[in-house]
Amino acid sequence: MTMFKVIAPELFLIACSISIFLSALFIKNRRTFSILAILGLLIAGVWKYSLHGAIFNLSFSVDSFDILGSWIIILIAVYVILISIDDIAIPNTSYGEFLTLILTSVVGMLFMIGSRDLIILYLGLETLSLSLYILCSFYRKDKLSSEAGLKYYLMGTVATAILLYGIALIYGATGTTNFYDITKSLSSTKVLTDPMFIAGVVAVIVTFSFKSSVIPFHAWTPDTYQGAPTPITAFLATAPKTALLLAFGRFFIGSLIPIWIEPKTVLIVLSIFTMVGGNLLALSQKNVKRMLAFSSVSHVGYMLLGIIVGTQEGLSAILTYLIAYAIMNLGAFGVVFMLKNGDDMSTYNGLAKRYPYLAGIMMIFMFSLAGIPPTVGFIAKFQLFLAAVNAGLTSLVIIAVLMTITSAFYYLRIVMNMYMKEPDAETEVISSDFTKGLVLSLSILVIVLGTLPSIFIH
Amino acid sequence: MNFPILSLVLLIPVIGAILMLFMKNSTLIKSTALIFALIDFFVSLPLWFLFDKNSHSMQFVEVHPWIPFINAKYAVGVDGISVLFVLLSTLITVISVSVSWKAIDKKVKEFFIMILLMETSMIGVFVSLDLLLFYAFWEAMLIPMFLLIGVWGGPNRVYASIKFVLFTFAGSVLMLVSILVLYFAGGHTFDILELTKLNLPVNMQIFLFIAFTLAFAVKVPMFPLHTWLPDAHTEAPTAGSVILAGVLLKLGAYGFLRFSMPFFPEATLMFLSLLQVLSVVAIVYGAFVTLKQTDLKRLIAYSSVSHMGFVTLGLFTLTQIGMLGGILQMINHGIVTGALFCLVGMIYERTHTRQIADYGGLKPALPIFILFYTFFTLAAIGLPGTNSFMGEFLILCGAFLRFIPLGAFAVIGIILGTTYMIWLYYRVAYGNLNEKIKDLIYDLGPREILTLIPLLLLVLYIGFQPGVFTSYMQSSVSNLIATKFSSTTIAHTLPLVGWLR
């Protein structure tokens, strides 16, 4: 039974999601369901706290890192559910399914974070991906939404297939899929030079790159982000990134340290591509969701620095970054969601005149994304760069810094549109006061954590 | 002295800004801004009186842990140099609130919130004793200034604000990398005083010096990084220009004094000649370009390039007298150019034109305006008895001591400076009153006079009693020279300095 104790929160969430799915057939009240789902998530999160330990032959374990990561994901999910309570977001008929899928994807992500074995990692990733494919095309009648789901699905399945292939190759070379055992087997030079092993590692890197939209594997990102319903885009942009970076980061850092030089070189190249490409592509976007999509690509590029550092310090810098990234992105997408035609750049023209507070909030998120103090975005970047400079990656940090300057262009463009252009008559806020309060509290969090970062950096 | 006076000075504007968030009535908002600016000014005054001038160490120091994990602290304090700038900042903020009273009619609340946030971040830069804290304030300043120019500025404001942000952001983000490198070189500390004691290898110094100096040179701005300044100045609302001229431009020069020189003395000496030459080029080139301007604000903006050239020249003579002059001139420029921008703003409020050609004949029509205008023009020229005279004189002494041609070129700048200021004065004050503005103009009101009087008094006070001011900086400057540049520098004290004490 102890075996199941460690994954009890995940099992509990599965039970929750199934019961919501079934009862949704009979009960139609959105609010009740949402509260149930949120309660389920929070209970699972609290439950996680009491569990430390490893099971299944060290294939799944929970430490404080995992707990923090899980909490990030759970809170993101709670936020997304909260902003979806208004029926403008999700069609009434399928709200139960929406909640079920969110919960299932959270289960997948929790498994990924806790995994210390490639097979479990794979299972978690598939659980996550399957839910996301459906979530992305949730507006069944909308062409863009269907396209979003289809693109994500086609790219995503290829990626997971590659992962499976990679796992098989690694297993072939080392005789194991467990992170610890892989590390142990790397002490033999035979494995190190085995082309099978190297091909396997490359396949894992490729899958990671696909899923977390590292350039040049990012092609699905803008279309999927743009087409998916905004709350789901917000979810897609934040939660899976957390799971992916932590799970794969743990694999790269935990297992490959003895041969770190080669994967590191690959990741350095990918990171430069991603930082430079993401920012340059974001520059030319006319659609806010697409712009945020490319900007999230570039943020993954920065976070790769933490993996390249290859130490616990790097991983904790990533964790800080993920928290900051989640807060500011959820906030920015929240504002996009609150406005009618929120993904059109021209909607923001003169917003400050019509909705001064909303514009102020959006401005805070934009400055934070650009990494200008006193915001949490600055603190996150700073800690990441600190870890990278400490690891001797100064030239990479200089590139990152130059790209930060580039990113200021497109974040500031939104601020400019809001404050320095004349308003369009049609701009309209369509969400409830509750959502407004939610987004406002995120903006306050951006400033508070930006000025007093010791609250969340340990 | 355990009273957290510096934290209070930092916090008062923020409290004011937060309170204003909940206000609707624009008169109430303006009054709140003025009251908080005044309170902040009066709270900062004890710094002046309680400061121990004979000590070069930091005073009113407060240290609290900020991000313990990376050893970053909330550490603030002032020495003889920064204390003057804190006071200048609180004074200039009062002036900018007052000068905006009528000029701002849209988004009043946001405007005054930005002014107050600006104040906190400016003062933060001057008082930080922790490099990370310094950087946070340094960057945070961009936000209010960007909006001040971009929202309340002139017709070309969007272009100007973006240019301003990108220039300064690009400069300072590179500084961030250097700060990180310094952090590790200094044994995991951001403590500015600790880092000052470091003896870094020369190669490292060169790299870091370039990055730091670029950031500061953009802010000063030094030739050839000055191109954002005329745009920003011209487009900014009056208060924005006053803050830019009054305080923001000083931050770069302050950075040289606080970071570039003490952290990287060897690199400073290596680049010294280049920086001196660039300063002289800024003086002469800036003055020549100023001569050609047809826009009132642009003219004063370009003259700032020239004047700030004097400041950097003074600092980079690395002589005690030149550096004292440089620092004094920073304050002088803040006061005089700030006042000139106020005057331009006041006349612009009436006529809505900044073209010099539209003016003329104001002397008989606006006696009070012209009185102030004459006074500040003379101050800008550097008439003996005004503050600029002392600043320029000390700088020239330093320059001549260091290398005679430097001084000779700088003198050309002074001649040109007199030319453009007098010529401008002639075109504005004399001649026939232009038909276009005839019916629009009326003389300064009591609020405007009250705004200008403190600046006028300061001009005279510094002009006649420069020693009061130099005595504050003296020990800090001597200490810098003595500890970092003793073998190479001319630590001259001319007989005249007796008067300066």
Side-chain angles (χ1 to χ4, degrees):
Chain A
M1 262 337 256
T2 46
M3 199 166 105
F4 292 106
K5 203 179 140 201
V6 179
I7 54 165
E10 284 82 358
L11 295 177
F12 171 72
L13 273 182
I14 293 174
C16 280
S17 86
I18 293 173
S19 43
I20 286 177
F21 182 69
L22 290 178
S23 46
L25 297 173
F26 310 105
I27 311 168
K28 295 287 170 217
N29 188 336
R30 299 167 76 100
R31 208 153 281 216
T32 325
F33 281 131
S34 311
I35 292 166
L36 280 179
I38 290 168
L39 271 180
L41 285 166
L42 294 178
I43 291 172
V46 174
W47 204 332
K48 273 247 160 199
Y49 258 112
S50 61
L51 307 168
H52 268 261
I55 50 162
F56 307 141
N57 271 338
L58 302 177
S59 297
F60 184 90
S61 77
V62 178
D63 60 19
S64 40
F65 251 118
D66 306 322
I67 292 175
L68 194 51
S70 314
W71 265 104
I72 300 177
I73 289 167
I74 286 170
L75 289 179
I76 292 171
V78 168
Y79 172 86
V80 169
I81 294 173
L82 283 176
I83 61 167
S84 315
I85 289 182
D86 287 349
D87 48 1
I88 42 166
I90 307 296
N92 218 352
T93 46
S94 42
Y95 192 67
E97 294 157 37
F98 165 75
L99 290 178
T100 308
L101 289 167
I102 293 272
L103 291 187
T104 324
S105 65
V106 169
V107 172
M109 288 186 272
L110 296 189
F111 268 113
M112 283 171 73
I113 291 183
S115 65
R116 302 289 183 272
D117 187 291
L118 285 169
I119 299 289
I120 297 200
L121 178 58
Y122 174 80
L123 288 176
L125 185 60
E126 273 299 77
T127 315
L128 164 70
S129 304
L130 287 172
S131 321
L132 287 182
Y133 301 147
I134 311 171
L135 281 174
C136 286
S137 43
F138 222 74
Y139 290 154
R140 264 157 263 176
K141 285 173 193 150
D142 182 56
K143 259 192 192 162
L144 277 179
S145 182
S146 314
E147 186 195 332
L150 187 65
K151 252 194 187 144
Y152 190 31
Y153 172 71
L154 288 176
M155 296 288 195
T157 41
V158 173
T160 36
I162 294 174
L163 177 62
L164 206 51
Y165 187 52
I167 295 173
L169 291 173
I170 291 176
Y171 181 76
T174 61
T176 176
T177 52
N178 184 293
F179 292 1
Y180 303 105
D181 296 337
I182 293 174
T183 319
K184 265 188 241 157
S185 70
L186 290 180
S187 51
S188 97
T189 40
K190 211 180 110 213
V191 175
L192 287 181
T193 48
D194 192 345
M196 205 192 319
F197 179 74
I198 294 165
V201 171
V202 169
V204 175
I205 291 180
V206 166
T207 309
F208 165 74
S209 307
F210 255 119
K211 289 286 180 181
S212 51
S213 42
V214 166
I215 291 178
F217 305 101
H218 68 288
W220 58 274
T221 318
D223 294 325
T224 306
Y225 276 35
Q226 187 190 354
T230 309
I232 292 166
T233 313
F235 186 64
L236 187 66
T238 48
K241 293 237 154 69
T242 310
L244 283 159
L245 278 154
L246 288 181
F248 281 89
R250 181 107 47 185
F251 172 67
F252 295 139
I253 295 175
S255 310
L256 303 183
I257 283 300
I259 53 151
W260 189 230
I261 301 301
E262 284 154 64
K264 191 170 158 176
T265 323
V266 178
L267 286 175
I268 285 176
V269 174
L270 288 177
S271 140
I272 294 175
F273 275 154
T274 312
M275 289 189 290
V276 176
N279 279 311
L280 293 184
L281 288 166
L283 270 180
S284 57
Q285 298 307 316
K286 298 258 182 321
N287 181 296
V288 177
K289 274 164 91 179
R290 284 180 85 87
M291 185 209 93
L292 287 173
F294 280 116
S295 102
S296 86
V297 168
S298 70
H299 283 284
V300 171
Y302 302 135
M303 284 188 262
L304 276 180
L305 289 178
I307 294 185
I308 295 165
V309 166
T311 56
Q312 207 68 10
E313 191 196 356
L315 209 55
S316 53
I318 292 181
L319 206 56
T320 312
Y321 203 101
L322 283 166
I323 296 173
Y325 171 82
I327 297 172
M328 53 203 189
N329 253 336
L330 290 177
F333 277 114
V335 176
V336 173
F337 170 69
M338 282 161 71
L339 289 168
K340 193 177 176 189
N341 295 329
D343 55 355
D344 191 347
M345 199 70 94
S346 65
T347 306
Y348 295 84
N349 291 353
L351 194 68
K353 210 168 231 173
R354 291 176 56 94
Y355 302 101
Y357 285 98
L358 192 62
I361 289 169
M362 187 65 164
M363 179 176 75
I364 291 175
F365 294 130
M366 290 298 122
F367 278 120
S368 182
L369 282 164
I372 296 174
T375 60
V376 71
F378 166 69
I379 297 292
K381 272 211 177 96
F382 183 80
Q383 214 201 336
L384 200 60
F385 292 168
L386 194 73
V389 169
N390 195 19
L393 298 168
T394 313
S395 42
L396 210 53
V397 172
I398 290 177
I399 296 177
V401 152
L402 290 176
M403 285 304 116
T404 305
I405 301 168
T406 316
S407 76
F409 266 107
Y410 55 83
Y411 293 127
L412 289 186
R413 194 187 314 147
I414 299 224
V415 178
M416 241 167 59
N417 286 357
M418 292 193 302
Y419 281 89
M420 303 169 198
K421 282 195 175 166
E422 282 309 302
D424 289 356
E426 306 95 78
T427 314
E428 220 182 305
V429 172
I430 46 172
S431 68
S432 64
D433 287 344
F434 179 70
T435 315
K436 283 180 207 160
L438 213 57
V439 177
L440 173 71
S441 52
L442 282 182
S443 73
I444 294 172
L445 209 56
V446 166
I447 300 288
V448 171
L449 294 182
T451 36
L452 300 168
S454 48
I455 297 173
F456 77 120
I457 298 179
H458 298 297
Chain B
M1 183 70 194
N2 287 326
F3 187 73
I5 186 166
L6 288 175
S7 298
L8 206 60
V9 173
L10 284 172
L11 211 59
I12 288 171
V14 178
I15 297 172
I18 293 174
L19 279 183
M20 277 149 73
L21 267 180
F22 304 101
M23 294 178 185
K24 284 224 164 84
N25 181 316
S26 67
T27 321
L28 182 64
I29 290 170
K30 288 175 192 170
S31 324
T32 315
L34 186 63
I35 289 168
F36 274 86
L38 279 171
I39 294 178
D40 211 30
F41 175 65
F42 286 116
V43 171
S44 67
L45 276 184
L47 293 173
W48 171 263
F49 296 110
L50 298 175
F51 190 84
D52 175 11
K53 291 189 243 180
N54 298 318
S55 157
H56 60 76
S57 55
M58 291 290 169
Q59 302 178 29
F60 308 103
V61 175
E62 294 165 46
V63 181
H64 304 287
W66 179 35
I67 318 176
F69 171 73
I70 47 174
N71 201 14
K73 296 188 200 97
Y74 170 80
V76 292
V78 283
D79 67 355
I81 299 169
S82 44
V83 69
L84 297 175
F85 289 107
V86 173
L87 287 159
L88 182 69
S89 309
T90 52
L91 175 70
I92 289 286
T93 309
V94 176
I95 305 279
S96 353
V97 171
S98 168
V99 84
S100 315
W101 201 267
K102 268 168 115 183
I104 300 300
D105 50 5
K106 60 168 187 174
K107 298 195 192 111
V108 176
K109 183 200 291 186
E110 285 89 343
F111 181 85
F112 287 100
I113 289 180
M114 287 305 148
I115 295 266
L116 290 187
L117 292 182
M118 191 73 209
E119 180 177 20
T120 296
S121 39
M122 290 185 307
I123 297 172
V125 169
F126 290 124
V127 300
S128 297
L129 296 182
D130 181 282
L131 209 46
L132 185 60
L133 190 67
F134 161 81
Y135 185 79
F137 280 122
W138 177 270
E139 286 283 79
M141 224 161 34
L142 286 180
I143 304 174
M145 203 62 213
F146 169 64
L147 292 173
L148 281 180
I149 299 175
V151 179
W152 294 274
N156 222 348
R157 58 184 187 271
V158 176
Y159 168 76
S161 62
I162 286 284
K163 195 167 172 184
F164 163 76
V165 166
L166 290 175
F167 262 73
T168 38
F169 194 45
S172 49
V173 176
L174 281 176
M175 181 167 74
L176 178 65
V177 184
S178 321
I179 289 177
L180 296 175
V181 175
L182 259 180
Y183 171 73
F184 291 109
H188 297 73
T189 180
F190 289 110
D191 189 325
I192 291 173
L193 300 177
E194 287 287 314
L195 291 170
T196 312
K197 292 180 197 142
L198 278 185
N199 277 321
L200 296 168
V202 175
N203 280 343
M204 196 183 211
Q205 278 196 25
I206 292 173
F207 167 73
L208 297 176
F209 179 84
I210 292 175
F212 267 89
T213 302
L214 267 179
F216 300 141
V218 170
K219 266 273 182 0
V220 170
M222 285 183 83
F223 178 87
L225 302 170
H226 65 283
T227 61
W228 63 269
L229 179 79
D231 289 312
H233 258 325
T234 314
E235 297 304 326
T238 306
S241 304
V242 172
I243 291 179
L244 264 174
V247 186
L248 229 60
L249 303 187
K250 275 74 221 184
L251 292 168
Y254 175 77
F256 286 134
L257 272 172
R258 176 73 72 229
F259 304 104
S260 299
M261 291 178 184
F263 285 4
F264 323 113
E266 272 111 5
T268 308
L269 290 174
M270 286 175 68
F271 286 99
L272 201 59
S273 314
L274 175 69
L275 292 165
Q276 288 166 347
V277 169
L278 285 179
S279 304
V280 172
V281 171
I283 294 174
V284 177
Y285 164 84
F288 268 117
V289 181
T290 311
L291 276 174
K292 239 186 111 295
Q293 298 306 314
T294 54
D295 180 306
L296 275 175
K297 261 184 141 179
R298 237 183 146 73
L299 190 146
I300 300 172
Y302 265 111
S303 79
S304 288
V305 174
S306 180
H307 286 145
M308 290 312 288
F310 271 106
V311 169
T312 50
L313 178 65
L315 299 184
F316 288 119
T317 57
L318 288 188
T319 59
Q320 192 181 35
I321 196 163
M323 289 172 85
L324 285 180
I327 302 168
L328 190 63
Q329 193 62 1
M330 276 151 82
I331 296 168
N332 295 339
H333 176 257
I335 297 167
V336 175
T337 310
L340 285 172
F341 274 121
C342 283
L343 285 167
V344 171
M346 287 166 185
I347 196 81
Y348 178 76
E349 261 176 58
R350 293 160 165 79
T351 60
H352 294 281
T353 172
R354 285 194 314 252
Q355 290 304 311
I356 298 170
D358 290 342
Y359 290 94
L362 294 187
K363 190 167 179 290
L366 300 177
I368 306 179
F369 174 83
I370 286 297
L371 178 78
F372 282 104
Y373 180 51
T374 314
F375 179 81
F376 286 113
T377 300
L378 292 177
I381 291 169
L383 190 81
T386 64
N387 56 354
S388 307
F389 170 73
M390 274 327 294
E392 283 172 3
F393 182 75
L394 295 179
I395 292 170
L396 286 178
C397 287
F400 277 115
L401 279 176
R402 173 56 74 187
F403 185 48
I404 290 172
L406 275 184
F409 274 105
V411 169
I412 297 178
I414 293 198
I415 298 167
L416 289 170
T418 313
T419 315
Y420 60 67
M421 285 314 292
I422 293 284
W423 195 36
L424 176 69
Y425 182 80
Y426 166 74
R427 286 188 287 176
V428 171
Y430 291 101
N432 293 326
L433 194 57
N434 196 314
E435 284 299 319
K436 268 194 208 166
I437 58 165
K438 200 173 181 178
D439 304 324
L440 300 170
I441 49 172
Y442 51 94
D443 216 340
L444 301 186
R447 173 184 58 86
E448 292 166 317
I449 295 172
L450 272 180
T451 310
L452 292 168
I453 281 188
L455 298 174
L456 182 140
L457 293 178
L458 266 176
V459 166
L460 292 175
Y461 186 32
I462 301 179
F464 285 103
Q465 288 288 323
V468 176
F469 288 79
T470 47
S471 63
Y472 275 83
M473 338 158 177
Q474 192 125 19
S475 55
S476 297
V477 170
S478 330
N479 178 53
L480 173 66
I481 293 177
T483 51
K484 295 290 174 183
F485 302 105
S486 53
S487 54
T488 42
T489 345
I490 319 161
H492 267 279
T493 14
L494 291 185
L496 153 138
V497 175
W499 176 45
L500 284 179
R501 290 180 207 274

